[in-house]
Amino acid sequence: MPRWILHVDMDAFYASVEELDHPELRGKPVIVAGPEPRGVVATASYSARKFGVRSGMPTAQAKRLCPQGIFLPPRFERYEEVAQKVRAILREYSPVLEPISLDEAFLDLTGTELLHGPPEKVAAEIHARIPRETGLSCSVGLGPNKLLAKLASDSAKPGGLRIVRPEEVQSFLDPLPVEDLWGVGPKTAERLWEKGIRTVRDLREIPVGLLRSWFGQKGGEALWQLARGIDESPVVPVRAAKSISNEVTYPEDLFEREKILAELRRLALLVADRLREEGFLAQTVQIKVRFSNFVTSTRQTKLPAPTDHPLILAEEAVGLFSRVGVPPGQGIRLLGVGLADLVPATFRPIPLFPDPKLGEALWEVRRKFGPDSLGLGPTGLK
Ligand SMILES: [Mg+2]
């Protein structure tokens, strides 16, 4: 089966999020950067790039190049929030998602045709949905492997969509400068230039034996493959954080047991929502309870198998509370629910738990209408 890999790259991501949140900055030279003297530029808007400002450049140098620039400190939590929205859209089309950074991800669409239609159509749909649903511009590339997908989205920047079909690979690659190939670092590029090799077409004309003698067995073969657009590397779903949690400090301590259990269920459903959005299953449920006297107690339990079933997770959280001895006279000032031992949902085991459909339905309603649309009563949804 031919592979179809999609690459999404948000355009000038941090700067674009700042412009989204502060419309008065739109079109201005916005530069998200760490403070001087040691800070560097994280992202420059396209308008700031006209002044020569680039990411990775010291902030001081950017200020010299673009004194009228609007320099803002990064707000990673906010960028992560937007990145999660983008990833949730992508996961609707395939669970095999590999985030590369907050603003870039690969998605393996191989074999999703029956569910979602031709990958070309899916790519166009994703390319239209991300700006519509996040207010931010993105570039999308689709190709037979990661190398081509990434090069395709690069060539579509900013805001475009580029599809490279298997029969177009060579004509797409040939005119590109060799340094554009992934895996050709500045040193290799320089050695290739010295030999008069500037484009991928030039590189493709060099016999593999000669490449081996120049760059060693492994390096030479890698270059030979890159020049032909060969890249077998898989899209590997990974997760940066090892757990997902949510906690709340209450303005007034909670004393009623019913109220406490209802809160635990509410928090459990919120973390279960996030678990689903990020495409994971959890095998460990944790709770954190802080009493009026600030003493904190935690409990955790390991499930027989990983799950994202919201009802199971909520009932486990409630069950854990019965193992917390609340000291006499103490109220609860903080409650937290966490999920750990996460595995990608692609490894979903055969359902071990009751009512998978009920869990599915609960998630669907909350996703469409928000977390307040459907929760659990004081005794749970039973
Ligand atoms: Mg980007």
Side-chain angles (χ1 to χ4, degrees):
M1 188 177 358
R3 294 167 77 211
W4 279 110
I5 311 296
L6 182 104
H7 182 255
V8 175
D9 192 345
M10 302 301 293
D11 299 319
F13 184 52
Y14 304 164
S16 303
V17 174
E18 296 303 338
E19 291 184 29
L20 178 73
D21 291 353
H22 310 280
E24 70 279 9
L25 299 181
R26 254 176 226 166
K28 301 221 167 106
V30 174
I31 298 163
V32 177
E36 289 173 83
R38 291 173 49 218
V40 296
V41 173
T43 312
S45 69
Y46 282 93
S47 146
R49 291 181 197 189
K50 284 188 195 135
F51 295 87
V53 178
R54 296 283 177 271
S55 21
M57 173 182 283
T59 304
Q61 188 186 349
K63 279 192 178 160
R64 280 194 301 275
L65 286 168
C66 185
Q68 65 273 63
I70 294 152
F71 288 81
L72 301 171
R75 294 185 297 145
F76 288 110
E77 261 176 45
R78 172 70 179 129
Y79 309 147
E80 171 60 35
E81 193 178 282
V82 182
Q84 274 186 28
K85 261 196 213 170
V86 174
R87 296 199 288 256
I89 294 173
L90 296 175
R91 281 202 183 90
E92 286 185 34
Y93 299 92
S94 164
V96 188
L97 174 75
E98 181 180 356
I100 299 297
S101 57
L102 279 181
D103 69 327
E104 259 185 76
F106 286 108
L107 186 69
D108 192 342
L109 292 175
T110 312
T112 62
E113 190 144 359
L114 277 180
L115 265 178
H116 300 293
E120 287 101 322
K121 198 199 94 197
V122 169
E125 204 172 299
I126 288 172
H127 179 247
R129 275 188 69 186
I130 292 175
R132 199 167 62 224
E133 294 177 29
T134 66
L136 296 165
S137 163
C138 68
S139 305
V140 174
L142 180 71
N145 55 42
K146 285 165 98 172
L147 170 74
L148 268 309
K150 163 90 177 148
L151 288 171
S153 77
D154 280 351
S155 79
K157 276 198 152 300
L161 163 67
R162 177 72 198 253
I163 296 167
V164 180
R165 292 175 187 82
E167 64 274 18
E168 299 165 330
V169 167
Q170 210 63 63
S171 60
F172 171 76
L173 281 178
D174 273 354
L176 296 180
V178 279
E179 64 271 25
D180 278 10
L181 292 174
W182 249 21
V184 175
K187 274 193 187 156
T188 307
E190 217 164 294
R191 289 183 60 195
L192 289 168
W193 298 338
E194 281 166 14
K195 297 177 192 303
I197 300 163
R198 296 254 156 207
T199 65
V200 176
R201 184 183 291 107
D202 298 339
L203 181 62
R204 194 155 57 89
E205 279 161 13
I206 311 296
V208 69
L210 196 52
L211 289 174
R212 282 200 204 109
S213 72
W214 290 343
F215 297 97
Q217 181 90 7
K218 252 183 113 180
E221 270 160 31
L223 282 174
W224 188 89
Q225 295 206 332
L226 285 177
R228 282 153 187 80
I230 301 169
D231 170 26
E232 304 288 340
S233 58
V235 178
V236 186
V238 283
R239 183 182 157 67
K242 288 193 180 65
S243 65
I244 297 178
S245 64
N246 207 337
E247 55 179 56
V248 175
T249 302
Y250 298 97
E252 282 170 31
D253 293 359
L254 307 179
F255 286 92
E256 269 173 71
R257 194 177 166 82
E258 262 197 8
K259 190 98 202 267
I260 296 164
L261 299 187
E263 271 300 293
L264 281 171
R265 288 196 178 94
R266 187 179 72 83
L267 293 171
L269 291 190
L270 287 173
V271 285
D273 286 347
R274 274 174 59 201
L275 185 73
R276 280 262 175 154
E277 261 163 40
E278 301 192 12
F280 282 84
L281 307 175
Q283 194 162 5
T284 294
V285 181
Q286 304 158 328
I287 65 164
K288 182 166 161 185
V289 181
R290 184 167 295 151
F291 308 117
S292 311
N293 62 5
F294 284 89
V295 171
T296 304
S297 186
T298 62
R299 292 289 181 274
Q300 66 171 34
T301 182
K302 190 153 183 163
L303 303 171
T307 184
D308 57 5
H309 194 310
L311 298 181
I312 306 286
L313 298 171
E315 290 321 302
E316 288 297 331
V318 164
L320 284 171
F321 186 73
S322 64
R323 289 168 39 198
V324 175
V326 182
Q330 289 291 319
I332 307 291
R333 53 178 292 119
L334 174 148
L335 283 174
V337 175
L339 302 174
D341 284 333
L342 306 186
V343 295
T346 26
F347 304 122
R348 185 184 298 275
I350 1 162
L352 279 181
F353 299 105
D355 298 331
K357 289 235 175 69
L358 190 53
E360 235 17 74
L362 185 55
W363 150 254
E364 272 302 316
V365 171
R366 288 168 62 87
R367 188 179 67 85
K368 283 204 185 107
F369 305 108
D372 293 333
S373 61
L374 185 56
L376 298 172
T379 54
L381 187 86
K382 277 187 174 160

